[in-house]
Amino acid sequence: MNRAMRALLAVLPALVAGGLLHGPALRAEIAARQAEAEPLESLAAAVPSRTFNLAHWRGEARVGSTLWRAAVVACAGAAFHDQPNCLSVAAARHLERVP
């Protein structure tokens, strides 16, 4: 076995362990970035958005914007435990119907 192959085999367990340990943290960071990126993109995120929250979606609902209509379509049939930001859209939709 040559020197390069031995070096690769020596560091391989550390690389695998590092990937396993950082995998969940990396996925959480990606989800957090997705939640704050764009309004429609935030609806697919697995974590709640601080920016595109109930106040944001109520404002969009009040003016009946194109963004609001797209959000309603994007959240149709959403599972709120998978897409928590769709809960804000559903709540805004309900509040706009209440006289």
Side-chain angles (χ1 to χ4, degrees), residues 19-54:
L20 292 175
L21 292 175
H22 294 295
L26 182 60
R27 283 191 297 277
E29 177 65 24
I30 290 169
R33 287 182 185 182
Q34 182 183 24
E36 303 304 327
E38 296 288 332
L40 291 177
E41 188 177 338
S42 76
L43 298 174
V47 297
S49 173
R50 293 182 306 260
T51 306
F52 307 112
N53 54 20
L54 179 58

Side-chain angles (χ1 to χ4, degrees), residues 72-80 83:
V72 169
V73 170
C75 289
F80 298 137
Q83 296 173 277

Side-chain angles (χ1 to χ4, degrees):
M1 191 178 318
N2 65 23
R3 187 178 298 168
M5 185 60 95
R6 279 188 295 226
L8 178 62
L9 289 175
V11 298
L12 189 59
L15 291 173
V16 170
L20 292 175
L21 292 175
H22 294 295
L26 182 60
R27 283 191 297 277
E29 177 65 24
I30 290 169
R33 287 182 185 182
Q34 182 183 24
E36 303 304 327
E38 296 288 332
L40 291 177
E41 188 177 338
S42 76
L43 298 174
V47 297
S49 173
R50 293 182 306 260
T51 306
F52 307 112
N53 54 20
L54 179 58
H56 170 81
W57 291 115
R58 280 202 80 188
E60 295 294 327
R62 283 187 185 121
V63 297
S65 69
T66 304
L67 177 61
W68 169 248
R69 291 190 299 277
V72 169
V73 170
C75 289
F80 298 137
H81 62 278
D82 290 333
Q83 296 173 277
N85 296 310
C86 280
L87 186 57
S88 295
V89 172
R93 195 167 177 212
H94 173 74
L95 291 171
E96 290 306 307
R97 290 181 182 166
V98 175

